[in-house]
C-alpha cells in the first residue's frame, strides 16, 4: 500500500499523535519540521487547541506551550514561518447546538447520550458546533488530526474506529485514512506492518498461498521449523478463505491492528492486539 497523504498531512498526523502521547521533545521537532514544510502557525495552533476535547487540557496546553517555544526559536534563527489565517468570526445568529448536531449526525449518525445529557450537549454544541465551525481547518483536517491522536492512545478503540469512519464521511478516502496509520507506523509512533518498533516482521509477499486469500498478505516464519510462530500480516480488507488445519491445535494472537475471526456456524468474533484464540482443528 502506498502512502497518499501530502507531506503537510503527514506532518499534521505526527504532531497530533505526539500531542496525545505527551512527548514534548519530539513534538517540538515535529512542529519545527511541519512549519518548514509549509504548515501555518494557525493550522498547528488550531489542531492542538481542538485536541483538548480528545486528549485533555493538560496535553493540549503543554503542546501549545511547545509551539510557542518553537516559534521563539525560529524567530531567533531567522527561519521563515507562515502565520496563516485565523478563523473567521462566527455570525451573531450562530446556533452552535443546531450546527453541531448536524455535523455530528453527518459524521457519526444520530447520537443522543441521554445517560449524560450535559456531555451530549458539550459534544454537539461545543465540539462539533463551536470548534468544528472554525474555518481555519477543514472538516477533513479536523478528522485527520483526531484519528492520529486517538491512534497514539491506549483504550480508545471504539472512538478510533468511529472517527476513522467519520473521516471518510468528512471527505477523506479510505486509503487516506489508512495512510494516517502508515505515517504513524513509519514514524515509529505506533507498531505495525509498515514499520515502527514492532518485533513482528512483515515478511515477504505470501505468493505461495495467495490463492487462499482475498487481498494481499505477507508471511514471516519466526523459527517455525523449531516450533516458533508464523507471523501473517493482512493488508486492510484482506481475508483468508475458509480452511481446515487437520489434526492440529492452532493459536491466533493479534499483535497489531484489528480484524475478525469466525468458526463455521458461529458468530464472528473481533480480534485485536493482545487478544487471542485457541482452537483445535480436526
Amino acid at each position: 500500500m502506498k502512502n497518499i497523504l501530502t507531506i503537510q498531512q503527514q506532518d499534521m498526523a505526527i504532531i497530533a499523535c505526539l500531542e496525545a502521547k505527551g512527548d514534548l521533545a519530539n513534538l517540538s521537532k515535529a512542529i519545527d519540521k511541519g512549519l518548514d514544510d509549509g504548515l501555518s502557525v494557525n493550522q498547528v495552533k488550531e489542531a492542538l487547541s481542538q485536541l483538548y476535547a480528545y486528549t485533555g487540557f493538560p496535553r493540549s496546553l503543554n503542546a501549545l506551550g511547545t509551539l510557542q517555544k518553537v516559534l521563539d526559536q525560529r524567530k531567533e534563527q531567522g527561519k521563515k514561518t507562515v502565520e496563516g489565517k485565523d478563523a473567521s468570526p462566527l455570525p451573531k445568529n450562530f446556533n452552535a447546538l443546531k450546527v453541531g448536531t448536524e455535523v455530528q449526525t453527518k459524521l457519526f449518525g444520530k447520537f443522543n447520550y441521554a445517560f449524560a445529557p450535559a456531555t451530549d450537549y458539550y459534544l454537539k454544541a461545543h465540539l462539533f458546533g463551536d470548534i468544528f465551525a472554525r474555518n481555519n481547518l477543514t472538516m477533513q483536517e479536523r478528522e485527520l488530526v483526531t484519528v492520529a491522536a486517538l491512534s497514539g492512545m491506549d483504550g480508545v478503540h471504539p472512538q478510533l474506529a468511529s472517527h476513522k469512519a467519520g473521516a471518510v464521511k468528512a471527505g477523506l478516502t479510505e486509503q487516506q485514512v489508512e495512510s494516517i496509520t502508515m505515517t504513524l507506523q513509519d514514524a515509529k509512533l505506533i507498531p505495525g506492518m509498515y514499520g515502527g518498533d514492532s518485533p513482528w516482521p512483515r515478511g515477504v509477499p505470501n505468493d505461495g498461498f495467495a490463492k487462499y486469500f482475498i487481498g494481499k498478505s505477507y508471511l514471516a516464519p519466526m523459527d517455525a521449523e523449531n516450533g516458533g510462530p508464523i507471523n501473517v500480516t493482512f493488508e486492510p480488507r484482506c481475508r483468508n478463505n475458509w480452511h481446515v488445519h487437520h489434526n492440529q491445535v492452532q493459536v491466533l494472537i493479534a499483535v497489531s491492528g484489528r480484524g475478525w475471526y469466525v468458526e463455521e456456524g458461529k458468530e464472528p468474533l473481533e480480534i485485536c492486539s493482545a487478544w487471542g484464540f485457541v482452537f483445535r482443528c480436526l
Side-chain angles (χ1 to χ4, degrees):
M1 177 179 169
K2 182 180 179 182
N3 190 328
I4 64 170
L5 294 181
T6 67
I7 294 300
Q8 290 184 4
Q9 287 173 323
Q10 292 179 47
D11 287 335
M12 192 71 87
I14 290 171
I15 289 169
C17 189
L18 288 167
E19 186 272 358
K21 288 177 172 291
D23 185 348
L24 300 184
N26 285 313
L27 176 62
S28 177
K29 298 174 185 176
I31 290 174
D32 193 44
K33 179 183 181 301
L35 296 173
D36 282 343
D37 290 338
L39 285 177
S40 74
V41 174
N42 279 320
Q43 280 179 302
V44 178
K45 187 187 298 182
E46 186 70 17
L48 297 178
S49 297
Q50 174 191 312
L51 286 179
Y52 94 83
Y54 299 97
T55 67
F57 264 125
R59 280 181 168 78
S60 177
L61 293 174
N62 287 343
L64 287 167
T66 299
L67 171 61
Q68 287 182 297
K69 292 178 182 178
V70 170
L71 293 176
D72 289 342
Q73 292 168 358
R74 291 176 67 87
K75 186 175 181 180
E76 291 177 2
Q77 296 166 1
K79 281 189 172 183
K80 180 181 178 182
T81 304
V82 178
E83 189 69 23
K85 70 170 187 176
D86 199 357
S88 303
L90 296 175
K92 291 183 179 179
N93 61 346
F94 178 74
N95 187 327
L97 181 59
K98 180 177 182 294
V99 171
T101 300
E102 292 171 352
V103 171
Q104 187 185 51
T105 301
K106 174 183 177 180
L107 297 179
F108 311 108
K110 290 185 178 181
F111 182 90
N112 183 12
Y113 198 37
F115 172 73
T119 298
D120 188 59
Y121 177 82
Y122 299 150
L123 284 170
K124 289 182 171 70
H126 182 51
L127 175 57
F128 295 112
D130 292 327
I131 294 178
F132 268 58
R134 290 171 57 82
N135 62 1
N136 54 346
L137 283 184
T138 66
M139 193 178 298
Q140 293 94 332
E141 289 171 330
R142 292 187 182 280
E143 281 302 293
L144 183 149
V145 298
T146 302
V147 168
L150 293 174
S151 296
M153 300 171 67
D154 293 327
V156 294
H157 290 306
Q159 290 79 13
L160 176 57
S162 179
H163 276 282
K164 282 187 173 182
V168 173
K169 291 181 181 178
L172 294 176
T173 67
E174 290 187 3
Q175 192 173 356
Q176 284 176 311
V177 175
E178 293 296 339
S179 291
I180 298 172
T181 301
M182 185 187 299
T183 296
L184 301 180
Q185 290 170 336
D186 285 343
K188 298 186 178 181
L189 296 180
I190 60 175
M193 64 177 286
Y194 301 108
D197 55 3
S198 173
W200 299 88
R202 179 173 69 172
V204 299
N206 192 12
D207 296 335
F209 296 92
K211 64 181 180 180
Y212 302 113
F213 287 78
I214 298 170
K216 195 165 185 179
S217 64
Y218 301 82
L219 197 66
M222 301 176 69
D223 198 26
E225 63 275 11
N226 294 314
I230 297 177
N231 190 44
V232 183
T233 300
F234 294 74
E235 283 200 348
R237 290 173 292 281
C238 177
R239 172 178 172 176
N240 194 188
N241 295 338
W242 287 107
H243 65 279
V244 175
H245 295 268
H246 293 285
N247 299 315
Q248 296 181 27
V249 172
Q250 188 176 35
V251 179
L252 297 181
I253 301 175
V255 296
S256 179
R258 301 169 72 82
W260 295 90
Y261 155 77
V262 63
E263 289 186 60
E264 188 172 11
K266 297 184 179 180
E267 291 295 316
L269 296 173
E270 186 179 23
I271 183 170
C272 69
S273 302
W275 296 359
F277 297 102
V278 182
F279 56 95
R280 182 176 298 279
C281 300
L282 303 176

